Amino acid sequence: MPTSFTVVPVEAQGEERQRDGQQREEEDEGDERDRGTGDGIARESSPFINCAELGRGSMYEGKNMALFEEEMDSNPMVSSLLNKLANYTNLTQGVVEHEADEDSKRKEVKGPRMGTFIGVYLPCLQNILGVILFLRLTWIVGTAGVLESFIIVFMCCACTMLTAISMSAIATNGVVPAGGSYYMISRSLGPEFGGAVGLCFYLGTTFAGAMYILGTIEILLTYISPSAAIFKVADAGEETEAMLNNMRVYGTCIVILMAIVVFVGVKYVNKLALVFLACVILSIIAIYAGVIKTAFDPPDFPICLLGNRTLSKRSFDVCAKFTESNNETKTTPLWLLFCDSSLLNATCDDYFSLNNVTEIQGIPGIMSGVLTDNLWSAYSEKGSIVEKKDQPSVAGSEESKMGGLPYVFTDIMTYFTMLVGIYFPSVTGIMAGSNRSGDLKDAQKSIPTGTILAISTTSFIYLSCIVLFGACIEGVILRDKFGEAVNGNLVVGTLAWPSPWVIVIGSFFSTCGAGLQSLTGAPRLLQAIARDGIVPFIQIFGHGKANGEPTWALLLTVGICEIGILIASLDSVAPILSMFFLMCYMFVNLACAVQTLLRTPNWRPRFKYYHWTLSFVGMSLCLALMFICSWYYALIAMLIAGCIYKYIEYRGAEKEWGDGIRGLSLNAARYALLRVEDGPPHTKNWRPQLLVLLNLDNEQLVKHPRLLSFTSQLKAGKGLTIVGSVLQGIYLDKCTETHKAEENVKALMGVEKTKGFCQIVVSPNFRDGISYLIQSAGLGGMKHNTVLMAWPQSWKQAENRFSWKNFVDTVRETTSAQQALLVAKNIDLFPTNQERFTEGNIDVWWIVHDGGMLMLLPFLLRQHKVWRKCKMRIFTVAQMDDNSIQMKKDLQMFLYHLRLNAQVEVVEMFENDISAFTYEKTLMMEQRSQMLKQMQLSKNEREREAQLIHDKNTASRSAPAVEASVAAAVPEKVQMTWTKEKFVAEKHKNKDSNVSGFKDIFNMKPNQSNVRRMHTAVKLNGVVLNKSQHAQLVLLNMPGPPKNRKGDENYMEFLEVLTEGLDRVLLVRGSGREVITIYS
């Protein structure tokens, strides 16, 4: 054939290549814009492959790298890569942290400047040391004793140290953009865990803000200005309720004030941070200085005891029952508190009358030996009196009322686990360094060093303070939570030097600063989660002011913080935030352990001092501490996290972050596949593992979507489902169509809720492609055992002359592979997943035993809500010699042992003479088959004639007499030389033979074997129509194809006759093995 060639000059070729390159670049950029990053959000700037910012134009300059021009479309040159790495910043794009001009911020990004000390160590120190140290540590030491307090602190500090080691490994495994713990967990454990734990960490940070605000108010109203209380104590015993109401009012005012400060600008909070940190450090130095001073000059803080009971000195100043003045005995204000008058013969409280009033030093000093008295715990019930153990006392009448008497009472019931919950918030704050990773010079060096040093320092401070408090302060003062026995002073303040006010003022500003930091950090954490787009209902909180300040997130944070303030008790709020922090730390340890055990190639942390056992111990310790603190709070926190996890799993955005859970799933799948036997399972474990064969149209859309609906109804999400299809052609040419077809099939699987895998095969012909799928689909022991396909409705049409051949060959191949076959006829009439059959029957026609699959399929279908209300009926056919009554009894007993509920009916089919209708139908079938063969033969002859004429004309044009050898054109396969006369004679000969062949068709007699088969099909179809014409579904044994391949088209006709007149039919062909058993 003539071929056209176009000659293009070299320069034009270059211009054309350049135009193609530019066009390809524009298409690639368009695709890149369409695809985005896959997250729906702006990703961190990446210096690696496929970076959209790489200037491709400069790559083609010069001819040294011409060999790699094709690769340069997607892969950068090494010089460009190194240049991008040198200028890489780990600051997240699109978020303006401070009130600076956005455009100038983008043009000029300030270089990271903070080192380990300023950037990590001090922020961690400030976040860890806080309200619990000043307000509750002395009380914990007095209640639990030095030994148990040491255990509490050691457990909590060990937990945070192990978590810091795991966090250091994760933080040094590549660049961690600003986002801290949430970023690390979500990228290590996936969006589900990341979102759940991130939101829990957000709630913990928010409740921490509430705790710090409550601590601020407690210092203000108890130690700085008690007269500022709005709710006064009217009656005895109402002190606690009045204090809680004051907390609520003042707390609401302070949280609003702090929110305004944060809204105005976070830069003011950051500037005040150093001031607050200085207050904390000065307060701690004052404590140590006071301890040293007690060694040689203990401070004078006398405690008044009545017997062994501690008295509150808020209501009196003289610790005595009466005083001597001018030889006159006068009663004191203390006397009036216990007696009904100031007279010496007044009626007094029984215990007051029997016991003496004594005065002891509250802070005897480090050399006094009081440590031995404070070693052991002194837990008590709510409302009990704080008593000194070794002090002599005479018990009074039990009927005397305690209310209104100036004793020091315990406000809550105390026990070991409750103290753990209250103390744990004092060791949180270890994430402060990782949260600032974007501002550090070398985050991978600073985060581990600074965090571990800060935890070591604070652990030393806490552990040493426990010992020093127990060695310096009297036990009754330690158990006096609000310092009532020392004139309302802060207990730790009584120990400080030079003045208690150093601690009071320092702790006040410290708690204020910590509250501001929480209200600053929590909204940003929520904003980061919202902008990731993994939790749809919080996406609104990703928006804020023009400069990036999270306004909406701040409002939600204030609202949640207000809930904590309405609780009003610091001791009640502390365990709540302990749960959320412990859960976050637990998952940090889990992330490190998973990544270490998986040994993924990308797991290469610079921090080497970690091990998966340490992470596992840290995770176990976190979980144990959760239940130690409060088992019901732990369950609630886990329930909240679980609900968020499932919500993200079902409704959240799909993310692929290369997280460890995906790697864990792969490892688990590999392990399970290796454990699964690569052979047929036991009959009790057998279920249909489906290979669904779909047909696609020219647009790569599924022709019969109801086939997937039926698949989901049959499987109900259990077992293996592989959805396969075949594209005809060569894979290199059909690559795009393959991806499109796979996307369309997966989308339809999602709509139909078909859980499984999609596999598209490209093959030169459709027949071989199906064979490839049947042979190779699946992996190891997870292979299909059943093939599901639709009946080829158009098999009789001339343009689909090969469809029936493909179908019959598929039947043969499934039989050879010992796989079951399900053929759904009239698949478009099958119900969708939304339809419900309120009545009707599923009829099973059990002609031959195929392993019990006919029994099993209706049972599986009736598990789905579409078929649930349908009844199962089983029909079997009795021949002339069979006892139909006995057959019915045997079948009922068989179904009883199979635990299947079904109606049983035996249909009798007697031997009848072959009807004229059957004979005529068989004859028409064979005539049609023969006619198709003759038409196909005549078509081939016409094609050969056209080729002969073309060859003859070509030969006559080149030479008058040229001999051509054409063997295929001659029926006798004789090589001959063609002349005009011979060609015309041969042409008439072929025509005559065709005409005679068509005449023979009308004179032929049908094959007796085909007549018998047609007789069976017609008779059985009549019986089925009589019984099951109105059934919702008919299941029928599928007869096998003939061994002689010449009768394949007749086989299709037999099946057509067998199922004629039925709406929904499922032809079932067993695999040759038992799939259902009566045994347990």
Side-chain angles (χ1 to χ4, degrees), residues 55 186 204 276 429 455 539 606 615 889 974:
S186 61
F276 299 142
I455 293 175
Q539 287 187 357
R606 290 189 178 277
S615 300
K889 289 182 179 178
V974 177

mmCIF file of all heavy atoms in Angstrom, residues 55 186 204 276 429 455 539 606 615 889 974:
data_model
loop_
_atom_site.group_PDB
_atom_site.id
_atom_site.type_symbol
_atom_site.label_atom_id
_atom_site.label_comp_id
_atom_site.label_asym_id
_atom_site.label_seq_id
_atom_site.Cartn_x
_atom_site.Cartn_y
_atom_site.Cartn_z
ATOM 1 N N GLY A 55 11.766 25.238 37.970
ATOM 2 C CA GLY A 55 11.764 25.855 36.649
ATOM 3 C C GLY A 55 12.356 24.912 35.634
ATOM 4 O O GLY A 55 13.548 24.682 35.576
ATOM 5 N N SER A 186 -0.303 12.131 63.461
ATOM 6 C CA SER A 186 -1.108 11.917 62.261
ATOM 7 C C SER A 186 -0.262 11.381 61.120
ATOM 8 O O SER A 186 -0.705 10.525 60.363
ATOM 9 C CB SER A 186 -1.792 13.228 61.846
ATOM 10 O OG SER A 186 -0.830 14.223 61.548
ATOM 11 N N GLY A 204 -7.420 18.434 75.927
ATOM 12 C CA GLY A 204 -6.547 18.476 77.099
ATOM 13 C C GLY A 204 -5.916 19.836 77.291
ATOM 14 O O GLY A 204 -5.862 20.369 78.413
ATOM 15 N N PHE A 276 6.790 35.647 82.719
ATOM 16 C CA PHE A 276 6.163 34.578 83.500
ATOM 17 C C PHE A 276 7.171 33.501 83.860
ATOM 18 O O PHE A 276 7.161 32.962 84.969
ATOM 19 C CB PHE A 276 5.002 33.971 82.709
ATOM 20 C CG PHE A 276 3.909 34.958 82.394
ATOM 21 C CD1 PHE A 276 3.247 34.935 81.178
ATOM 22 C CD2 PHE A 276 3.536 35.907 83.331
ATOM 23 C CE1 PHE A 276 2.237 35.836 80.892
ATOM 24 C CE2 PHE A 276 2.526 36.818 83.059
ATOM 25 C CZ PHE A 276 1.878 36.788 81.839
ATOM 26 N N GLY A 429 3.397 19.231 79.234
ATOM 27 C CA GLY A 429 4.089 20.386 78.657
ATOM 28 C C GLY A 429 5.360 20.008 77.948
ATOM 29 O O GLY A 429 6.128 20.878 77.531
ATOM 30 N N ILE A 455 12.927 17.753 81.045
ATOM 31 C CA ILE A 455 12.264 16.734 81.869
ATOM 32 C C ILE A 455 13.175 16.303 83.008
ATOM 33 O O ILE A 455 12.719 16.108 84.153
ATOM 34 C CB ILE A 455 11.857 15.532 80.995
ATOM 35 C CG1 ILE A 455 10.764 15.954 80.012
ATOM 36 C CG2 ILE A 455 11.363 14.377 81.855
ATOM 37 C CD1 ILE A 455 10.380 14.882 79.036
ATOM 38 N N GLN A 539 -14.275 21.959 59.876
ATOM 39 C CA GLN A 539 -13.516 22.711 58.872
ATOM 40 C C GLN A 539 -13.714 24.215 58.995
ATOM 41 O O GLN A 539 -12.847 24.982 58.592
ATOM 42 C CB GLN A 539 -13.899 22.240 57.469
ATOM 43 C CG GLN A 539 -13.344 20.864 57.132
ATOM 44 C CD GLN A 539 -13.583 20.478 55.692
ATOM 45 O OE1 GLN A 539 -14.210 21.215 54.948
ATOM 46 N NE2 GLN A 539 -13.101 19.309 55.304
ATOM 47 N N ARG A 606 17.618 10.604 63.490
ATOM 48 C CA ARG A 606 18.965 10.978 63.914
ATOM 49 C C ARG A 606 19.179 10.683 65.397
ATOM 50 O O ARG A 606 20.302 10.466 65.829
ATOM 51 C CB ARG A 606 19.219 12.459 63.635
ATOM 52 C CG ARG A 606 19.337 12.786 62.162
ATOM 53 C CD ARG A 606 19.797 14.215 61.958
ATOM 54 N NE ARG A 606 19.955 14.502 60.549
ATOM 55 C CZ ARG A 606 21.041 14.204 59.838
ATOM 56 N NH1 ARG A 606 22.044 13.594 60.411
ATOM 57 N NH2 ARG A 606 21.106 14.500 58.558
ATOM 58 N N SER A 615 9.468 2.349 74.053
ATOM 59 C CA SER A 615 8.193 2.925 73.602
ATOM 60 C C SER A 615 7.026 2.078 74.098
ATOM 61 O O SER A 615 5.984 2.613 74.506
ATOM 62 C CB SER A 615 8.166 3.009 72.077
ATOM 63 O OG SER A 615 9.218 3.814 71.610
ATOM 64 N N LYS A 889 -39.125 -36.994 52.214
ATOM 65 C CA LYS A 889 -38.738 -37.180 53.613
ATOM 66 C C LYS A 889 -37.229 -37.089 53.793
ATOM 67 O O LYS A 889 -36.737 -36.450 54.727
ATOM 68 C CB LYS A 889 -39.244 -38.544 54.107
ATOM 69 C CG LYS A 889 -40.750 -38.628 54.279
ATOM 70 C CD LYS A 889 -41.150 -39.992 54.812
ATOM 71 C CE LYS A 889 -42.658 -40.077 55.017
ATOM 72 N NZ LYS A 889 -43.066 -41.421 55.501
ATOM 73 N N VAL A 974 -4.461 -26.561 -4.225
ATOM 74 C CA VAL A 974 -3.540 -26.862 -5.320
ATOM 75 C C VAL A 974 -2.949 -25.566 -5.812
ATOM 76 O O VAL A 974 -3.678 -24.597 -6.070
ATOM 77 C CB VAL A 974 -4.256 -27.582 -6.490
ATOM 78 C CG1 VAL A 974 -3.290 -27.820 -7.634
ATOM 79 C CG2 VAL A 974 -4.863 -28.883 -6.009
#
